[in-house]
Amino acid sequence: MIEHRYGAYFISGVDTDSGKTYVTARMAAYLRHRGVSVITQKPIQTGCVTVADDLVEHRKVMGCGMLLEDKEGRTCSYLFKKPASPHLAAKLEGVTIDPEKIDRDTRYLLSRYSIVLVEGAGGLMVPLNDDMLTIDYVASRRLPLILVTTSKLGGINHALMSIDVCKSHDIDLHTIVYNRLPGDDDVLANDAYEVIRKHALQLYPHVQIVDFRSSDSFWGVDI
């Protein structure tokens, strides 16, 4: 288990294009602006060679540039060239992803920052290695989960299934971020928001739901 005071929060999306990198960056920027000691972590990045692209985006939005912990390799435990699921990208390079290595890096970051936002790769059911899915990692570490859902067509299905699998794995679903961007269809987006909100509250009566349009959307969220 990873011990935390404010602590580490795992951020996952309902699919690979839900906007979780942008949401992670905006959440970090919002907290930083409010004086909170926060850093983001991308434990596994695929499709990159020298630096984790998602961390570059995080730092750009946070307005801080690459940090010492980035240069030390503590914010990205594994970097793979192939844009693929972590288990496959690792296998192609003769590597096995070790969750304990990720744990050590998270604990190191927690020794320096009050909050660590840990952005996952892909969705909750993505394999990390032959023995562990992403959701198994989140459950075994008892990490509060921030789930990014989407207003895109198909988003209801992905969101409801993700919420259900969280419940079945006894995940602490801390916050749902409903990503309205790019916001092309308000009728679709408004309906999907209500369906997701209703289903989530039935299973998680105390879950926080953020109707995300900008960093200001996080106002009043308890993290």
Side-chain angles (χ1 to χ4, degrees):
M1 184 188 303
I2 296 171
E3 299 295 335
H4 53 83
R5 184 168 62 95
Y6 279 104
Y9 295 80
F10 197 91
I11 300 180
S12 187
V14 296
D15 60 23
T16 57
D17 194 26
S18 60
K20 68 179 182 299
T21 296
Y22 184 75
V23 168
T24 300
R26 287 294 178 184
M27 182 176 287
Y30 172 78
L31 292 169
R32 192 167 185 263
H33 179 72
R34 292 182 60 80
V36 177
S37 173
V38 59
I39 192 170
T40 61
Q41 180 184 9
K42 181 74 178 185
I44 306 167
Q45 176 84 70
T46 66
C48 297
V49 178
T50 58
V51 64
D53 287 349
D54 289 354
L55 288 175
V56 173
E57 177 67 15
H58 294 171
R59 304 299 173 251
K60 178 182 176 181
V61 174
M62 292 167 68
C64 60
M66 298 305 282
L67 301 170
L68 174 62
E69 293 81 8
D70 300 322
K71 297 172 184 177
E72 293 174 336
R74 295 294 192 138
T75 52
C76 185
S77 307
Y78 292 98
L79 186 69
F80 301 114
K81 296 177 183 178
K82 181 72 172 179
S85 177
H87 76 293
L88 176 58
K91 188 176 295 185
L92 291 173
E93 296 188 25
V95 175
T96 298
I97 293 172
D98 180 6
E100 295 294 333
K101 174 176 170 52
I102 298 173
D103 291 345
R104 288 193 295 272
D105 287 337
T106 303
R107 284 193 290 266
Y108 177 80
L109 296 174
L110 282 171
S111 73
R112 293 190 172 191
Y113 295 85
S114 297
I115 292 179
V116 179
L117 300 178
V118 185
E119 183 191 342
L124 288 167
M125 300 303 286
V126 168
L128 301 183
N129 54 41
D130 290 340
D131 302 310
M132 179 175 280
L133 303 176
T134 297
I135 197 165
D136 298 325
Y137 180 82
V138 176
S140 62
R141 273 61 183 176
R142 298 191 179 278
L143 291 169
L145 177 68
I146 297 170
L147 180 66
V148 181
T149 67
T150 174
S151 61
K152 296 183 303 181
L153 186 63
I156 292 176
N157 178 67
H158 290 358
L160 269 54
M161 287 196 302
S162 295
I163 293 166
D164 282 3
V165 80
C166 284
K167 192 67 176 180
S168 69
H169 284 71
D170 196 28
I171 298 293
D172 174 12
L173 184 54
H174 182 278
T175 301
I176 292 173
V177 178
Y178 181 70
N179 183 16
R180 282 185 179 263
L181 302 177
D184 296 331
D185 189 329
D186 284 341
V187 173
L188 187 153
N190 290 338
D191 178 73
Y193 174 79
E194 288 301 325
V195 172
I196 293 169
R197 184 186 67 82
K198 180 179 179 181
H199 186 77
L201 290 173
Q202 286 176 342
L203 297 182
Y204 289 95
H206 303 294
V207 68
Q208 299 178 112
I209 301 176
V210 176
D211 194 351
F212 179 79
R213 292 179 176 87
S214 69
S215 294
D216 291 341
S217 303
F218 296 117
W219 179 264
V221 176
D222 180 20
I223 294 180

